[in-house]
């Protein structure tokens, strides 16, 4: 990404210094397109059923997100270390952090032959933002002038005034205020262009999406709840050129089944080792595993639309739940020390992270304080002793049952309330209820970064009305704090502002932070050049056969 900017817009979240340490024997090719290996092999990887048809601006979960990342190319993509690299962008220039001129490369096309122009981007972004289209990632466009008018409930406005087409290769963007991290966001999938047919009939299009990335959907490629087959896009000429003959995401109903397939060489890449195998996977896969921290965390979101979790009493109860959880014990016993107890809402690999933000004591195990807080809540609004507090989790991916049961036992032992895990058969089903705001208790949540910044762990999840705001949290003071932070003059000032905003979250606890994530995955004897990116996702395009 080429940026020409004044000192005020040096990039508060200019590419984070992400510290990634690998174990095992990942071949670590990153995006080395010259790497040797069998490029005729189709890579079999584990996946999960996407929540929705595959429209980029309407996908905010990992099952669909992995596929969209591979079949679309945006203005920029991120390399293995989280650094933005031009993909469709010829240049992105701005003088004041508020006004940008974006030039795209010539002769770019979708796989249906339609030309990709400046209008493609402007139309796609306007579609993503407009209220009538109800896209889950609409809030990613909130910085653009005119978003408020286009996104207002019931609005008939379908375009943002801050977007202007100059010519086929050029468009301009005006933000409502200077925001130094805005260009860094442009690698997120909400900002990719989609063809005209997608805007006319997004539901039908989303079943057989046409993109422009390193891969494309194979004919009949999405077999719901079975697999998603991708084949290389021969016309793609960006930095993520496929080094294999395709990637097939096999949809498993449990990670344990996927692990057994991996051991039998029937699965080539398993993104996450199941909890049940954490003690043995390094022995099972002596030179075929990876373990390194990434920009991700695990939380329990507790919706404030539930009466017992709203207001002052709800806040006290959330604090009590948090202090009733012994994170040190769970991360040591269940995760073999491969997780780090959370001390904030972001991740240690990000620039600006702090483990000593005021309010972080609410994330420390303190049984007596937890009981005291629960009693204070009861004094305001008595908890129904016959009510069972549930923590929902998906049973198909992630091995969540084990740690959820541990949390349940700890909270029950400390607070003496009825509490239990609530399994959903699939991640898709859990996300459907979370999105519809029909949860009856808490839910396992968390975040895998879209781009490397502290703000990405705060705004899209906890701002009022944000698409991933599972807790239905709304605090104008927090909203203003992070908005003001985006205008900071320096990197240090910006990070300090985001951490000041976190003080509000650590008091309100719309979600209960648990631990920071670590990429622990493995691969078969049939593949090589396996590495994971800064966001914990395998670099599928770089994997080859042996």
């Amino acid at each position: 990404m080429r940026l020409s900017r004044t000192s005020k817009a040096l990039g508060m979240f200019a590419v984070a210094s992400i510290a990634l340490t690998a174990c095992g024997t990942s071949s670590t090719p990153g995006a080395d397109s010259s790497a040797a290996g069998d490029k005729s092999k189709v890579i079999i990887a584990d996946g999960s059923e996407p929540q929705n048809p595959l429209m980029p601006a309407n996908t905010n979960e990992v099952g669909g997100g992995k596929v969209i990342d591979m079949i679309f190319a945006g203005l920029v993509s991120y390399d293995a270390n989280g650094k933005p690299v031009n993909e469709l962008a010829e240049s992105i220039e701005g003088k004041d952090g508020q006004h940008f001129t974006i030039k795209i490369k010539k002769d770019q096309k979708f796989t249906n032959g339609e030309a990709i122009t400046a209008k493609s981007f402007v139309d796609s972004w306007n579609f993503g933002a407009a209220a009538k289209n109800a896209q889950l990632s609409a809030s990613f466009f909130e910085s653009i002038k005119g978003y408020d008018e286009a996104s207002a409930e019931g609005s008939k406005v379908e375009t943002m005034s801050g977007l202007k087409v100059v010519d086929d290769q050029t468009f301009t963007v005006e933000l409502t205020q200077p925001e130094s991290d805005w260009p860094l966001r442009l690698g997120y999938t909400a900002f990719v262009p989609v063809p005209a047919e997608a805007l006319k009939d997004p539901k039908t299009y989303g079943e057989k999406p046409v993109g422009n990335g390193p891969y494309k959907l194979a004919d009949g490629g999405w077999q719901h709840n079975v697999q998603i087959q991708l084949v290389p896009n021969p016309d793609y000429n960006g930095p993520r050129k496929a080094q294999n003959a395709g990637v097939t995401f096999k949809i498993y109903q449990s990670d344990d089944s996927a692990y057994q397939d991996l051991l039998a060489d029937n699965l080539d890449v398993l993104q996450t080792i199941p909890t049940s195998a954490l003690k043995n996977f390094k022995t099972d896969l002596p030179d075929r595993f990876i373990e390194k921290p990434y920009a991700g965390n695990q939380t329990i979101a507790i919706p404030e639309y539930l009466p017992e979790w709203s207001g002052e009493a709800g806040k006290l109860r959330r604090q009590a739940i948090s202090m009733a959880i012994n994170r040190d014990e769970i991360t040591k016993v269940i995760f073999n020390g491969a997780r780090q107890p959370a001390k904030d809402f972001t991740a240690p690999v990000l620039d600006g992270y702090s483990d000593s933000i005021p309010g972080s004591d609410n994330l420390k195990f303190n049984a007596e304080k937890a009981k005291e807080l629960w009693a204070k809540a009861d004094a305001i609004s008595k908890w129904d002793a016959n009510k069972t507090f549930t923590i929902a989790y998906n049973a198909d991916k992630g091995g969540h049952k084990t740690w959820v049961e541990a949390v349940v036992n700890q909270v029950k032992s400390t607070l003496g309330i009825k509490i239990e895990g609530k399994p959903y058969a699939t991640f898709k089903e859990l996300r459907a209820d979370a999105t519809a705001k029909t949860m009856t208790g808490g839910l396992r949540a968390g975040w895998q970064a879209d781009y490397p910044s502290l703000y990405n762990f705060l705004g899209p999840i906890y701002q009022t009305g944000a698409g991933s705001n599972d807790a239905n949290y709304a605090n104008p003071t927090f909203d203003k704090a992070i908005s003001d932070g985006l205008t900071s003059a320096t990197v240090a000032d910006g990070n300090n502002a985001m951490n000041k905003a976190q003080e509000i979250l650590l008091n309100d606890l719309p979600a209960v932070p648990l631990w920071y994530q670590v990429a622990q995955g493995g691969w078969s004897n049939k593949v090589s050049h396996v590495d994971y990116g800064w966001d914990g996702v395998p670099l599928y395009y770089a994997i080859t056969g042996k």
Side-chain angles (χ1 to χ4, degrees):
M1 179 186 296
R2 291 203 297 270
L3 299 175
S4 174
R5 311 169 78 180
T6 65
S7 60
K8 180 174 177 61
L10 285 175
M12 172 179 72
F13 299 102
V15 180
S17 300
I18 298 180
L20 299 177
T21 304
C23 300
T25 58
S26 164
S27 305
T28 319
D32 181 6
S33 61
S34 63
D38 179 6
K39 298 185 180 182
S40 67
K41 177 172 173 53
V42 173
I43 308 302
I44 310 299
D46 68 300
S48 59
E49 178 72 5
Q51 178 186 0
N52 297 313
L54 295 172
M55 276 290 287
N58 201 40
T59 300
N60 65 352
E61 45 78 32
V62 295
K66 279 200 295 193
V67 178
I68 287 175
D69 280 338
M70 297 172 70
I71 64 176
F72 285 94
L75 293 168
V76 302
S77 58
Y78 304 110
D79 70 11
N81 297 313
K83 179 181 178 181
V85 179
N86 276 3
E87 202 157 27
L88 291 186
E90 186 68 40
S91 62
I92 302 171
E93 298 180 346
K95 296 180 180 179
D96 58 4
Q98 185 172 4
H99 299 84
F100 297 89
T101 298
I102 299 175
K103 292 184 178 295
I104 64 174
K105 296 174 181 177
K106 294 181 179 180
D107 302 323
Q108 302 298 309
K109 294 181 179 181
F110 294 105
T111 56
N112 65 358
E114 179 182 327
I116 301 173
T117 65
K119 187 175 184 297
S120 304
F121 279 95
V122 170
D123 287 350
S124 298
W125 293 8
N126 279 327
F127 180 91
K132 79 181 192 71
N133 299 320
Q135 300 293 283
L136 289 173
S137 293
S139 62
F140 277 84
F141 302 103
E142 66 181 352
S143 299
I144 300 173
K145 185 179 179 181
Y147 170 80
D148 287 347
E149 292 80 5
S151 64
E153 186 175 354
S155 174
K156 295 182 179 180
V157 177
E158 297 183 26
T159 60
M160 292 179 284
S161 58
L163 298 179
K164 304 290 184 186
V165 174
V166 177
D167 56 42
D168 280 353
Q169 262 64 57
T170 311
F171 67 103
T172 60
V173 182
E174 180 181 356
L175 308 184
T176 56
Q177 63 181 11
E179 294 189 1
S180 51
D181 98 317
W182 185 79
L184 187 58
R185 306 177 201 179
L186 297 177
Y188 179 52
T189 51
F191 293 98
V192 302
V194 296
E197 66 182 271
L199 309 181
K200 295 176 182 177
D201 187 356
K203 186 174 182 179
T204 299
Y205 166 84
E207 292 293 329
K208 297 180 179 180
V210 170
N212 62 317
Y215 293 85
K216 60 182 180 178
L217 197 68
D219 291 339
W222 186 359
Q223 300 173 48
H224 286 282
N225 300 302
V226 178
Q227 64 182 15
I228 300 174
Q229 295 175 291
L230 307 180
V231 295
N233 174 10
D235 297 325
Y236 175 81
N237 57 5
R240 298 182 291 147
K241 193 74 174 176
Q243 300 302 303
N244 48 58
V247 177
T248 295
F249 289 108
K250 186 176 179 180
I251 297 171
Y252 286 89
Q253 297 308 307
S254 81
D255 281 346
D256 290 327
S257 297
Y259 188 69
Q260 292 305 313
D261 269 2
L262 180 69
L263 295 180
D265 282 341
N266 294 323
L267 179 69
D268 291 319
V269 183
L270 179 61
Q271 180 172 340
T272 303
I273 300 294
T275 306
S276 61
L278 288 179
K279 290 183 179 180
N280 301 318
F281 81 98
K282 294 178 185 178
T283 302
D284 292 343
L285 308 167
D287 57 356
R288 295 183 283 121
F289 74 88
I290 197 165
E291 183 175 72
K292 66 181 182 182
Y294 70 91
N297 63 22
Q298 187 79 69
T299 66
I300 298 172
I302 304 180
E304 294 186 34
Y305 53 74
L306 301 174
E308 62 271 26
W309 297 102
S310 65
E312 183 66 17
K315 180 177 72 174
L316 291 168
R317 287 193 179 104
R318 292 190 298 275
Q319 292 175 354
I321 292 289
S322 179
M323 289 189 177
I325 299 171
N326 190 332
R327 296 162 179 78
D328 288 325
E329 183 177 74
I330 291 177
T331 53
K332 289 176 182 176
V333 174
I334 293 178
F335 295 113
N336 284 343
R339 303 288 189 276
Q340 180 182 345
K343 299 182 184 299
D344 82 327
F345 281 81
T346 66
V349 297
L350 296 171
D351 185 42
Y353 165 81
S354 173
D355 63 1
S356 56
I357 299 171
S360 61
D361 283 351
N362 282 335
L363 307 186
K364 294 180 180 178
F365 177 59
N366 187 333
E368 292 308 310
K369 183 67 173 178
K371 294 174 185 177
E372 177 186 327
L373 290 166
W374 194 266
K376 285 183 177 180
D378 269 354
I380 299 172
S381 174
K382 186 70 174 176
W383 177 265
D384 183 353
N386 294 315
K387 186 175 185 62
T388 300
F389 174 53
T390 57
I391 301 175
Y393 65 93
N394 56 295
D396 59 336
K397 299 290 293 180
H400 301 293
K401 179 181 179 180
T402 305
W403 70 256
V404 169
E405 288 181 345
V407 167
V408 163
N409 289 332
Q410 288 180 347
V411 173
K412 183 186 297 182
S413 175
T414 298
L415 298 178
I417 64 172
K418 292 183 177 180
I419 177 173
E420 61 185 28
K422 181 181 179 179
Y424 279 69
T426 66
F427 186 46
K428 176 182 178 178
E429 292 170 355
L430 174 60
R431 289 310 310 160
D433 277 1
T435 301
K437 301 197 182 323
T438 56
M439 302 301 301
T440 57
L443 67 150
R444 83 92 185 159
W447 196 248
Q448 174 187 300
D450 303 309
Y451 55 94
S453 82
L454 296 180
Y455 172 78
N456 183 238
F457 281 77
L458 307 177
I461 316 172
Y462 303 112
Q463 273 187 298
T464 302
S468 297
N469 191 341
D470 292 341
N472 206 42
Y473 177 64
N475 186 331
T477 304
F478 170 75
D479 293 345
K480 186 176 188 306
I482 59 172
S483 179
D484 289 347
L486 290 173
T487 67
S488 299
T490 69
V491 172
D493 287 347
N495 287 329
N496 288 338
M498 290 299 140
N499 286 333
K500 287 292 290 183
Q502 284 206 77
E503 293 181 28
I504 301 170
L505 289 184
L506 286 166
N507 180 61
D508 291 349
L509 290 181
V512 176
L514 297 175
W515 40 79
Y516 305 120
Q517 298 287 48
V518 174
Q520 292 174 297
W523 52 93
S524 74
N525 288 296
K526 298 179 179 180
V527 295
S528 62
H529 301 96
V530 182
D531 196 13
Y532 281 46
W534 65 279
D535 57 356
V537 179
L539 303 175
Y540 296 107
Y541 65 89
I543 300 172
T544 69
K546 282 189 173 180

